[in-house]
Amino acid sequence: MSSEPSYSEFKPLLTQSVGYGVVVGVGFFFAGVMFILTTLQRKFFKFSPASSEEFTSASRSVKPGLICCGIVSAWTWSATLLQSSTVAYTFGVSGPWWYGVGGTIQVAMFGMVASKVKQNANGAHTFLEIVKTRFGTSAHILFTFYGFLCILLVCGSLLLGGSATVNALTGMNTTAACFLLPIGIAVYVIFGGLRATFICDWSHTIILFIIIYIFTFRAYGTSPAIGSVSRLYDLLEQASVVTPVVGNQGGSYLTMKSDQGLVFGAITILSGFTGVFCDQGYWQRAIASHPESTTKAYMLGGISWFAVPWAFASCLGLSARALITNPNFPTYPSPLSPSQISAGLAAPAAAAVLMGKGGAITVLLVVFMAVTSAASAELIGVSSLFSYDIYRTYFRPNATGDEIVRVSHYFICFWAVWMGCWATILNAVHIDLGWLYYVQGCILSPAVIPIGLTVSWSKLTKAGVFCGAIGGACFGMLAWMIGCWKIYGQININNLAQPYSALCSSLAGLFFSGILTVGVSLLNPADYDFSGTRAIATLEDTIKSDISGVDTPYRASDTESQNEKRDEKESSLKQPVSNIMDVGLENDDEQRLRSLKTVFRKAFIYSSILTLIVVILVPLPLFFSHYVFSKKFYTFWTACSIIWAFASGSFCIVFPLWESRNEIGMILGSAYRSIRK
C-alpha cells in the first residue's frame, strides 16, 4: 500500500456552523419535544416519570411494537452505519451481510433470556440485582465491573464515530462534538426516563429509515454518478481490477467468497454477543416490556434491525468504493486513508458524491440520530446501575423511590459529561471507532455466558461463574497477545485491533468461559429454584390509580394511599421468601410461568432457525462455491435488501402507533378537553 503522505485530507462540505447547529440545535429540539410529551404524560396518563418504577423500567408495561422499535434504534449505533459501510468499502458485498448477522442473531437469542427474566426475576430493575440476589456481593462486584466496562466501550464507540463524522463533514472541533453530543440527550432522558427514550427511539427510527430510503433511491435511481444497480455493478467490477481485494475470489467486491469478510463475520458475531448480553440497556428493555410479549418484541427487533446495516452499507459503502475516481469524492484523487477508513468515513464520502451538501447534511443527521438514540439507552441504563446497584445496594439500602429518581438524575448529568471526557481521552491517544469495535469482544466475551446463565440455568454455581468470567478473561488475554505476536510480528496498539488478533481473543474468551462456567458448575451442581430472584420487589413509590375511563387523569399526591402501600410493601418484605412466593404464585401466576416456559421454547426454536438461515444456509454456500455475483444476481441481492428495509421501516413505524392507538387517543382527548375548559 502507498505511504501515508500520498493520501488526501477529507474535504469538509459544510461549515462549522452547520455542525454546531445539528449537534446543539437538533439535540435541544428533541429535548423540547420530549418535555412537552412528558408533561402530557404526567398530566393525562396513569404513569408518571416521577415514579422510580416508571423512570427506570417504564412500569413494565411497554408493548412489543415500541420495544421492537427501541431495539432497532438502540442497536443502531454510529458503528452500525459507519463500520458496516467501512467493511462494505473494504470487503465488498460480504461486509454488510456479516455485520447484519453479527447483531441480529444475538438480539433474537436474547429473547430467550428476556423470557427467563420475566419468568424468574420479574421484579428486578437491572441484571446485576439478579446476580446479587443469587450469588452475593462478590459476584455482584465482578459483574458491576463488566457492566460499566461495557457501557464505557459503547459510549466511546458512539461518540468517536459521531464526532469523527461531524468533524469530517463540517470541520467542527472533535472535542467540542464529543462534549456537546450527549448534552441534549441527557436533558430529555432526565425529563421522561425510560419511556421517553422509547418515544424518541420511535421518532429517530422514522428519520433513520427515511434517510435509508433517500440514499437508496438516489444511488440506485437518480444520481448522475451512479443512477442504477447495473451501473453500480459495472463500477464495482472496475474497482475490482484497479484495487482488488486480497482474499476475495478474483479480487472482486461482488462475491461472498471473502476470507477477510468471513473473519470479520466471526468477530462481529462474537462482539455482538457482548454488546447485547453485557449491556444493561437490553436487559432494561426486557424488564420494561409486557411479560407475555417480551420475546416477541426481541424476535421482531432482531429481524427489523438486520435491514439497517445490510441496506445502508450495501448502498453507501459499496457506492464509496465505486466512486473513488469521481472528482467529487472528498479525497480525490486519492482513496480513503487507513485512518479515514477506520474512523468510518466511507459512508460520508459516498453521501457527499451522491447528493453534495444535501448528502453531507443527511448523513450527518442520521449519524446524529444513531448516536442520540443509542446514547439515551446507555444513559438510562448506566443511571439504573448506579442508583440501584451502587447507591441503593451499598450506601442507602432503604432509599425511597424519590431518592432513586433524584440520584438517577444526578448520575445522568455526571455520565453525560464523563462520556465527553472519555471520548476525548480515547481520541487523544488515537483510538478510534474501528479499534473499539474490534476490541470490544476481546474484553467482554468472558462475561457473556455466565451472565446469560445466571437467570436461566438452575445448576449454575458461584464457583462456575467466577471460574468462567475470570478464567475466560485470562485465556482470552493470553490468546490476544500470543495471536497478535505470532500473526503480526509485534504487540502494539494497532496490531491488537487487527482482525485475526481480535478473533483469537474473542473466540478464546467465549469458548473457555463457557467450558469453565458449565464444567465447574457440573462438578458440584446447584439446584436453585429462583425463589430468591422471583422475590425481588419492585420499588412502589407512586400510586397507580384505577383508571377506568379517559377522563380520569393520573395523580400521585394521595399521601394516605402512598403510606398504606409502603406499609404493605414493608410487611411483605419482612416475610420469609417462601411466604412471598406463595403470595406471588396466586391468581394464575402458575399458569403465567407455564406460559413463559412455552414462550422460551418458541424463542429457542425461532432463534435457531434464524441463525441457521443467516449464518449457514445463505452465506456459506455462496462462500464455498467461490461464486462471483452476476449482474442479475447482484440486482436480486440488492432488491432483497431494499424490500427488507421497506418492510422493517413500515413495521417499526406503523406497528407502535397501531398498538398504542387507545392510549394516544386518551391523552389527546384529555388534552383537548383540558384546553376547552
Side-chain angles (χ1 to χ4, degrees):
M1 182 172 287
S2 303
S3 59
E4 186 68 25
S6 67
Y7 294 108
S8 304
E9 289 187 11
F10 196 103
K11 299 185 289 288
L13 275 75
L14 306 171
T15 62
Q16 290 191 31
S17 60
V18 175
Y20 283 98
V22 170
V23 171
V24 179
V26 178
F28 278 94
F29 168 78
F30 273 102
V33 171
M34 199 62 253
F35 176 75
I36 295 171
L37 293 175
T38 302
T39 301
L40 290 173
Q41 177 192 346
R42 190 188 302 267
K43 189 172 183 180
F44 300 114
F45 198 46
K46 62 181 178 179
F47 300 121
S48 169
S51 156
S52 64
E53 292 298 325
E54 170 66 12
F55 187 84
T56 59
S57 60
S59 301
R60 304 163 202 270
S61 64
V62 184
K63 297 180 179 179
L66 201 54
I67 291 286
C68 167
C69 184
I71 291 168
V72 172
S73 184
W75 204 205
T76 303
W77 303 355
S78 50
T80 304
L81 305 174
L82 302 178
Q83 187 68 20
S84 63
S85 297
T86 295
V87 293
Y89 175 89
T90 308
F91 309 139
V93 293
S94 66
W97 180 270
W98 285 120
Y99 195 103
V101 170
T104 293
I105 61 173
Q106 292 83 351
V107 172
M109 290 180 180
F110 193 79
M112 295 187 291
V113 176
S115 70
K116 287 296 185 181
V117 170
K118 289 301 180 184
Q119 179 181 327
N120 295 327
N122 194 39
H125 306 87
T126 70
F127 75 92
L128 295 177
E129 276 189 322
I130 304 171
V131 173
K132 176 74 162 59
T133 300
R134 184 168 180 181
F135 295 120
T137 300
S138 55
H140 183 258
I141 293 173
L142 173 65
F143 286 110
T144 298
F145 168 77
Y146 272 113
F148 276 95
L149 186 58
C150 177
I151 292 175
L152 272 178
L153 292 171
V154 173
C155 290
S157 295
L158 292 173
L159 290 186
L160 286 176
S163 61
T165 301
V166 173
N167 172 262
L169 293 175
T170 70
M172 179 181 177
N173 183 271
T174 302
T175 302
C178 288
F179 278 99
L180 291 175
L181 278 168
I183 301 302
I185 311 167
V187 172
Y188 76 69
V189 172
I190 288 173
F191 279 147
L194 182 60
R195 198 179 298 272
T197 71
F198 281 118
I199 296 171
C200 279
D201 284 347
W202 179 76
S203 62
H204 289 173
T205 303
I206 294 176
I207 296 173
L208 169 68
F209 278 104
I210 287 175
I211 290 176
I212 289 176
Y213 302 153
I214 289 172
F215 281 125
T216 298
F217 285 125
R218 184 65 174 169
Y220 303 136
T222 63
S223 169
I226 299 177
S228 69
V229 177
S230 176
R231 174 62 177 157
L232 180 56
Y233 180 89
D234 293 337
L235 289 171
L236 289 172
E237 278 201 319
Q238 294 174 20
S240 301
V241 175
V242 176
T243 53
V245 187
V246 177
N248 280 25
Q249 180 67 29
S252 176
Y253 293 92
L254 297 162
T255 179
M256 290 294 288
K257 171 57 178 74
S258 172
D259 296 342
Q260 295 184 75
L262 189 64
V263 171
F264 172 78
I267 295 170
T268 303
I269 291 170
L270 294 169
S271 179
F273 275 111
T274 67
V276 172
F277 281 72
C278 299
D279 191 341
Q280 167 61 18
Y282 290 91
W283 291 83
Q284 202 139 9
R285 278 161 167 71
I287 290 166
S289 64
H290 193 272
E292 279 70 27
S293 62
T294 301
T295 300
K296 177 183 176 182
Y298 275 85
M299 303 301 165
L300 296 174
I303 287 182
S304 298
W305 179 84
F306 186 88
V308 176
W310 189 27
F312 186 88
S314 293
C315 177
L316 287 188
L318 294 177
S319 293
R321 174 56 67 182
L323 295 171
I324 285 176
T325 57
N326 191 296
N328 294 322
F329 197 79
T331 59
Y332 180 82
S334 305
L336 294 173
S337 70
S339 61
Q340 290 164 345
I341 293 171
S342 188
L345 299 185
V353 181
L354 292 172
M355 295 174 59
K357 289 187 176 181
I361 293 174
T362 305
V363 79
L364 179 64
L365 183 61
V366 74
V367 170
F368 176 79
M369 293 293 102
V371 171
T372 54
S373 59
S376 66
E378 297 307 311
L379 281 176
I380 197 72
V382 76
S383 70
S384 298
L385 293 185
F386 183 83
S387 57
Y388 284 100
D389 292 294
I390 294 180
Y391 180 76
R392 189 173 178 230
T393 299
Y394 297 110
F395 295 97
R396 290 275 291 174
N398 296 320
T400 64
D402 290 339
E403 285 183 78
I404 293 296
V405 174
R406 185 167 59 251
V407 169
S408 295
H409 288 173
Y410 293 154
F411 198 72
I412 287 169
C413 294
F414 164 76
W415 197 263
V417 175
W418 168 242
M419 280 173 66
C421 297
W422 172 241
T424 302
I425 293 169
L426 293 175
N427 185 63
V429 296
H430 306 294
I431 288 177
D432 56 20
L433 172 65
W435 196 94
L436 283 180
Y437 184 82
Y438 280 106
V439 165
Q440 177 177 314
C442 304
I443 296 175
L444 298 175
S445 60
V448 170
I449 293 176
I451 289 175
L453 293 180
T454 295
V455 75
S456 56
W457 192 37
S458 61
K459 298 186 183 300
L460 183 66
T461 64
K462 185 175 180 179
V465 165
F466 271 88
C467 289
I470 297 176
C474 294
F475 279 110
M477 291 298 108
L478 191 62
W480 197 11
M481 299 303 158
I482 294 175
C484 180
W485 175 46
K486 289 292 186 181
I487 297 170
Y488 298 103
Q490 59 178 336
I491 300 173
N492 57 39
I493 295 296
N494 290 331
N495 288 344
L496 286 173
Q498 292 298 319
Y500 287 99
S501 299
L503 180 60
C504 289
S505 178
S506 301
L507 194 58
L510 188 70
F511 176 77
F512 284 106
S513 172
I515 292 294
L516 290 170
T517 300
V518 175
V520 172
S521 295
L522 290 178
L523 290 176
N524 186 23
D527 188 20
Y528 191 68
D529 61 2
F530 293 100
S531 59
T533 57
R534 288 172 184 161
I536 297 174
T538 58
L539 193 60
E540 295 288 351
D541 61 313
T542 60
I543 304 306
K544 297 177 177 63
S545 61
D546 295 324
I547 297 178
S548 58
V550 297
D551 293 326
T552 308
Y554 172 78
R555 293 290 183 268
S557 57
D558 191 341
T559 306
E560 287 185 8
S561 182
Q562 284 183 330
N563 291 336
E564 182 181 344
K565 282 211 169 207
R566 188 178 296 111
D567 291 341
E568 290 175 2
K569 181 191 168 191
E570 289 174 354
S571 176
S572 69
L573 290 176
K574 292 175 182 177
Q575 299 177 42
V577 168
S578 59
N579 292 342
I580 294 174
M581 290 307 301
D582 289 341
V583 174
L585 292 176
E586 291 176 357
N587 300 324
D588 297 327
D589 269 12
E590 287 282 9
Q591 183 178 351
R592 183 183 67 85
L593 290 178
R594 287 196 298 271
S595 173
L596 287 171
K597 289 178 181 178
T598 302
V599 168
F600 174 82
R601 288 193 294 270
K602 290 180 179 178
F604 175 77
I605 294 170
Y606 166 84
S607 59
S608 299
I609 292 173
L610 179 65
T611 301
L612 178 68
I613 293 171
V614 299
V615 178
I616 297 174
L617 294 184
V618 173
L620 294 190
L622 291 172
F623 179 89
F624 289 112
S625 67
H626 295 198
Y627 178 63
V628 177
F629 289 8
S630 66
K631 186 172 289 189
K632 286 185 178 180
F633 188 83
Y634 177 66
T635 302
F636 168 75
W637 184 267
T638 303
C640 288
S641 72
I642 295 171
I643 292 169
W644 200 321
F646 270 95
S648 298
S650 300
F651 182 83
C652 290
I653 294 167
V654 176
F655 187 37
L657 284 178
W658 174 254
E659 68 180 5
S660 300
R661 61 193 183 280
N662 294 331
E663 289 82 357
I664 294 171
M666 182 190 74
I667 292 175
L668 293 178
S670 299
Y672 176 72
R673 284 187 291 274
S674 178
I675 293 172
R676 290 194 62 185
K677 287 181 181 180

